[in-house]
Amino acid sequence: MRVVIADDAVLLREGLVRLIEENGHTVVAAVGDGPSLVEAIKEHRPDVSIVDVRMPPSHTDEGLRASVEARAAVPGTPILVLSQYVEVSYADDLLADRRGAVGYLLKDRVSLVADFLDGLRRVAEGGTVLDPEVVGQLLVRRRRDDPLRSLTPREREVLGLMAEGMSNTAIARKMVVTEGAVEKHVRNIFTKLNLHQDEEQHRRVLAVLAYLQT
């Protein structure tokens, strides 16, 4: 993969560069502020970008705002936010175009390098990978008119695990059920959300986005 990294903490940025390159990928740009991120994505059209939330000058939400701007300039460019903080408003904006290829992981909760690299790959391939805490804070913002109201509690649980980026096999292990049972729940979710027959990955992304944006 060709990767852009945006983080103002030099040690962390260089550590990510080494991690990415040691695992066979190429870092095409490593920057420390929002405008540089936007320009790097425009110039290099990377397979995925890793972005911190808080960068200069105000150290509030520059990374997320720059990510939204970059996806407007290069539609669908994959973004994996890697931060200590959950900024809900711009996370919503990042998900709003319904294109998928978005991840949001919390630095303190990434315990295995292999899991991080797997999440990065899935975002690059168009998937959605979100930390459970991010999912929880996004769901607090639910509107009263909930399009997911027809889902059963079990289907909502499956959809929540899909939002975390889990495969059907992983969901089955987590819920201690058969993979066939999970597949049935997923089919029911697609039907109830009116997601017609299409590429499986695309329907998963749309279902997750519907879940997060209500």
Side-chain angles (χ1 to χ4, degrees), residues 187-203:
R187 287 195 300 271
N188 289 341
I189 290 166
F190 290 158
T191 299
K192 291 179 179 180
L193 295 183
N194 202 30
L195 298 175
H196 301 294
Q197 189 66 37
D198 197 352
E199 182 186 351
E200 176 76 9
Q201 179 65 23
H202 183 59
R203 287 204 295 176

Side-chain angles (χ1 to χ4, degrees), residues 155-170:
E155 290 163 354
R156 284 176 179 263
E157 183 180 0
V158 169
L159 189 48
L161 295 173
M162 287 167 61
E164 294 175 27
M166 290 190 182
S167 65
N168 287 355
T169 302

Side-chain angles (χ1 to χ4, degrees), residues 12-211:
L12 180 58
R13 186 170 69 235
E14 293 305 313
L16 283 170
V17 169
R18 176 171 293 186
L19 173 66
I20 295 300
E21 292 185 338
E22 284 181 350
N23 282 274
H25 308 297
T26 302
V27 176
V28 295
V31 302
D33 60 76
S36 297
L37 168 64
V38 175
E39 290 307 311
I41 289 175
K42 287 180 179 178
E43 177 181 353
H44 296 288
R45 306 294 173 112
D47 297 309
V48 63
S49 298
I50 303 169
V51 182
D52 188 22
V53 170
R54 299 187 178 184
M55 293 192 290
S58 69
H59 294 278
T60 54
D61 54 15
E62 284 82 3
L64 279 174
R65 286 191 282 116
S67 297
V68 172
E69 182 180 345
R71 280 173 68 94
V74 184
T77 187
I79 300 285
L80 174 61
V81 177
L82 181 63
S83 181
Q84 291 176 294
Y85 312 98
V86 181
E87 296 289 348
V88 176
S89 59
Y90 279 101
D92 271 349
D93 290 343
L94 201 54
L95 292 160
D97 64 11
R98 300 177 65 83
R99 294 177 182 270
V102 173
Y104 199 136
L105 299 177
L106 300 182
K107 291 176 181 177
D108 293 343
R109 291 163 59 95
V110 176
S111 57
L112 295 174
V113 169
D115 289 346
F116 169 70
L117 292 173
D118 181 61
L120 188 66
R121 175 189 57 79
R122 282 184 282 156
V123 170
E125 292 174 352
T128 303
V129 179
L130 301 167
D131 184 277
E133 185 172 328
V134 176
V135 173
Q137 292 201 32
L138 286 169
L139 294 183
V140 167
R141 295 164 60 91
R142 284 204 167 174
R143 298 187 299 269
R144 186 173 301 170
D145 182 18
D146 182 2
L148 307 182
R149 61 189 178 276
S150 63
L151 299 186
T152 67
R154 201 66 161 165
E155 290 163 354
R156 284 176 179 263
E157 183 180 0
V158 169
L159 189 48
L161 295 173
M162 287 167 61
E164 294 175 27
M166 290 190 182
S167 65
N168 287 355
T169 302
I171 292 171
R173 286 198 300 265
K174 176 82 171 180
M175 297 176 64
V176 196
V177 298
T178 66
E179 189 169 347
V182 173
E183 291 172 354
K184 181 178 179 181
H185 287 313
V186 171
R187 287 195 300 271
N188 289 341
I189 290 166
F190 290 158
T191 299
K192 291 179 179 180
L193 295 183
N194 202 30
L195 298 175
H196 301 294
Q197 189 66 37
D198 197 352
E199 182 186 351
E200 176 76 9
Q201 179 65 23
H202 183 59
R203 287 204 295 176
R204 288 181 82 90
V205 169
L206 291 178
V208 167
L209 294 179
Y211 178 67

